[in-house]
Amino acid sequence: SSNSNYNYLSTISSLLLNTVVPTVTPTVSNPDQAPTTLSLALSAPTSPPSAPPLPSGLPGVILPQPQLDIDNVPTSDVLINVLFNASLNWEWVAAENADSPGQIFEYFPQVIATPLGIDVAQVQNYELIVYEPSTYTGPADIALLGTIWQGYLPGDKVSTLASLISNQKSVFYTGQDGSIPTSLAACVDPSLDLESISGPAAGGSSGSSGGSDVRQDAIIGVVSSLGAIALMIVAYVAYRAIKKRRELAHRRLSDHVDYTGVRPEGQEFDRDTVGEQRRRSFYYAEDSLRGYQGVRAADDGYDHHVTNMRERRPIHTGAISTPILRESTMNW
């Protein structure tokens, strides 16, 4: 399908090509040797693409509109590289003709899809990049810079496409539909291997992997922090326990100790024996039934110190009856 961003190209009926074939005159050491002219259109590149020192103001990359979203590319696709000859060199495409990149992005997917017999939507533009041949020495050799189209293609079609491009009589060159696709196919230089330059993996694998690494690092960082905090808490509790144990081990005998609930030294358990209120005994229970409050009436006791006794009367032991405990709970 046609890209709406390049609808303006519909008014152009032919491929915009650089008709001026750049030439270079080599320096010869023998003055008697006749100079020769080298045609770059027929010369094959001998070095892989690299990042050359470009002339000022000349871009190194041209992107399509809209730019391809790698995340939407099927994971079975691979990046391929197709080199153009001097008719579409970098100076012409990037600087001298503004419509040339648009024509390449608009028609080249069709050029690839037609001989393969696949839908043009399966061929996706990625970018155009500069190619630096081995003969390029600096900005003065701008005419020697080539143009490479990069795009994504189903992986099982790459070897077939490479075979078609390498055969000048194949349907890649002879079976195109339309004048512009036919002219564009004729500008392809078969000397560059389609997979000579690697790029981002289709389906956003590189980005997803990077995102997973970030998340993994974040999780590791959080877990490490929690582990460090837990160790600090354990260390603090252990320190407090050891400190308290040492304090107890070195406490002086003169230090006050709380003996709440402990019987004082030298005191019987039942304080009845030292004159206090009787508790924990049978008599205490009996007195509770009688209403004994622990206070004796002043006249209930016998005082042997009384001196105003007038007389002593003999006590007849036979008159004393067996003592009876009234209101005894034991029914005596």
Side-chain angles (χ1 to χ4, degrees):
S1 61
S2 178
N3 189 335
S4 60
N5 291 281
Y6 302 115
N7 285 340
Y8 67 94
L9 296 174
S10 61
T11 59
I12 303 175
S13 59
S14 62
L15 182 65
L16 301 174
L17 301 173
N18 180 17
T19 57
V20 178
V21 178
T23 59
V24 57
T25 302
T27 303
V28 293
S29 57
N30 185 359
D32 296 331
Q33 180 181 352
T36 58
T37 300
L38 302 179
S39 176
L40 297 182
L42 300 177
S43 63
T46 58
S47 64
S50 60
L54 299 177
S56 177
L58 193 66
V61 176
I62 301 176
L63 299 175
Q65 297 298 326
Q67 186 175 352
L68 180 64
D69 186 357
I70 302 298
D71 293 340
N72 296 330
V73 178
T75 55
S76 59
D77 286 12
V78 297
L79 184 73
I80 62 172
N81 307 269
V82 179
L83 176 66
F84 296 113
N85 59 27
S87 297
L88 290 175
N89 66 3
W90 191 247
E91 181 184 17
W92 172 261
V93 172
E96 295 185 359
N97 195 293
D99 293 333
S100 184
Q103 283 190 318
I104 296 174
F105 287 134
E106 176 67 13
Y107 294 104
F108 200 65
Q110 177 185 339
V111 171
I112 293 176
T114 297
L116 293 176
I118 61 176
D119 190 345
V120 68
Q122 293 183 265
V123 184
Q124 304 186 65
N125 293 302
Y126 181 56
E127 61 187 8
L128 298 176
I129 62 173
V130 64
Y131 173 78
E132 178 187 2
S134 60
T135 54
Y136 179 78
T137 59
D141 297 328
I142 185 174
L144 304 181
L145 297 173
T147 301
I148 291 179
W149 174 90
Q150 289 188 321
Y152 285 88
L153 180 71
D156 58 348
K157 303 295 182 182
V158 175
S159 60
T160 302
L161 178 62
S163 178
L164 293 174
I165 291 178
S166 64
N167 184 3
Q168 295 289 332
K169 297 182 179 180
S170 69
V171 292
F172 181 84
Y173 300 99
T174 62
Q176 297 294 338
D177 184 14
S179 62
I180 293 180
T182 300
S183 299
L184 197 53
C187 293
V188 171
D189 188 329
S191 62
L192 183 68
D193 184 84
L194 296 182
E195 298 182 90
S196 59
I197 305 175
S198 61
S205 299
S206 298
S208 299
S209 176
S212 299
D213 291 341
V214 171
R215 287 192 297 272
Q216 182 177 1
D217 292 342
I219 293 173
I220 292 175
V222 172
V223 173
S224 299
S225 300
L226 294 177
I229 294 174
L231 290 176
M232 292 174 63
I233 294 175
V234 172
Y236 176 75
V237 172
Y239 169 76
R240 290 292 301 274
I242 295 174
K243 182 179 180 182
K244 186 174 182 180
R245 183 179 300 176
R246 289 179 177 176
E247 289 178 353
L248 292 176
H250 295 284
R251 177 173 291 176
R252 295 177 300 178
L253 296 178
S254 61
D255 292 344
H256 172 72
V257 180
D258 186 9
Y259 290 106
T260 303
V262 181
R263 178 175 58 84
E265 184 72 20
Q267 179 174 310
E268 299 294 335
F269 184 78
D270 188 355
R271 299 189 64 176
D272 293 340
T273 59
V274 292
E276 294 294 333
Q277 185 177 359
R278 294 181 295 174
R279 299 179 184 277
R280 304 180 185 87
S281 68
F282 164 78
Y283 299 103
Y284 177 74
E286 181 68 20
D287 291 342
S288 297
L289 293 175
R290 291 183 178 184
Y292 178 76
Q293 301 298 326
V295 180
R296 296 182 180 180
D299 57 351
D300 286 346
Y302 171 75
D303 189 355
H304 66 280
H305 295 291
V306 177
T307 58
N308 58 353
M309 184 182 300
R310 294 182 179 182
E311 60 181 349
R312 295 191 177 204
R313 295 180 182 181
I315 299 176
H316 300 281
T317 59
I320 301 176
S321 63
T322 304
I324 299 175
L325 181 62
R326 294 179 304 170
E327 300 177 3
S328 173
T329 58
M330 302 183 68
N331 294 326
W332 290 351

